[in-house]
Amino acid sequence: MAEPCIISVAITGSVPRKKDNPALPVTVAEQIESTHAAYEAGAALVHVHVRNDDESSSSDPEKFARLQEGIRAHCRDMIIQFSTGGRGRAMEARGAMLYLKPEMASLATGSVNFPTIVYENPPDFVRGLAVTMRDYGIKPEIEVFDLAMLYNTVDLVAEGLIVAPPHVQFVFGVKHALPARRDILEFEVAKLREMLPGATWTAAGIGRHQLEVNRWALEMGGHCRTGLEDNVRWDKTTLAPGNAALVERVAALCAEYCRPVATAAQARSMLGIPAAA
Ligand code: ZN
């Protein structure tokens, strides 16, 4: 049987809620509700950011705690992944909530240009976050926005800062970072297999690239990410009705590629995360 596909849902992200995008969950209550619907639709993993009351990116550990508690109450064994991403958050605050010990947290292993800013991840900062995650028993999801980040990961694993085998996400379609090209993904996956045997991988396409990158990942044996953080559109003319609908669409694609949708319990086992208590 083909390997089950772990569907991750990135429910919110850090860009401002657009007036024309009412489906984006922003308050903690909206986020819990949206995550629950996505879990019911087949998502095994949720990637979360939290927002301040003015909807800017927040690092408030209290908000992360309430969100974590709500998701655990409604989606018992779903894997929770905190974002340590930038965009409006002070560098020293980006790991401030990791003491809450989510199952996973995102970790970009290098700096890259984003559409209008530099996404800053200096070497010592990356190492500090990696050590914090390792010491709390949090599994990082390595965010590869550019090729050097994959090679940096190999070094961090060799040094013992990241526990092997790692879980890597290849990100495509962010302006000024890697374009959505299948040959790049093929190269990255080949190098990952060669340099980090046993590593698991997923891929994310931003904006109009979301679905095509999902298809490539399904075909090549990887896992899939979807959600309103990456893409608020359903097609060229319509907005997505919500995170659950995007998850349902990927679940339908899984069937097309004969990949079962992983349950949260299966996802935990594939990623080496302990079963839910
Ligand atoms: Zn994110």
Side-chain angles (χ1 to χ4, degrees), residues 10 13-14 47-49 83 106 225 229-230:
S14 52
H47 168 90
V48 296
H49 297 238
S83 168
S106 60
R225 167 159 142 165
E229 168 169 352
D230 300 344

Side-chain angles (χ1 to χ4, degrees), residues 202-218:
T202 181
I206 306 305
R208 65 196 166 87
H209 303 292
Q210 188 170 58
L211 262 190
E212 78 179 319
V213 171
N214 288 158
R215 285 183 178 277
W216 299 341
L218 284 167

Side-chain angles (χ1 to χ4, degrees), residues 22 43 55 58-59 68-69 80 82 89 95 99 120 125 130 144 148 159 203 208 217 241 268:
E55 300 195 0
S58 171
S59 296
Q68 183 180 41
E69 195 184 295
I80 300 173
F82 287 175
R89 292 164 71 188
Y99 72 90
E120 275 187 88
F125 174 73
V144 172
E159 286 179 65
R208 65 196 166 87
R268 281 172 182 262

Side-chain angles (χ1 to χ4, degrees), residues 47 79-84 94 97-98 102-108 129 133 138-143 167:
H47 168 90
I79 298 167
I80 300 173
Q81 181 186 98
F82 287 175
S83 168
T84 65
R94 284 169 45 191
M97 67 311 187
L98 293 177
E103 286 84 4
M104 296 185 85
S106 60
L107 177 64
L129 274 183
M133 291 181 201
I138 299 167
K139 175 136 184 161
E141 178 179 88
I142 311 299
E143 308 298 337
H167 180 64

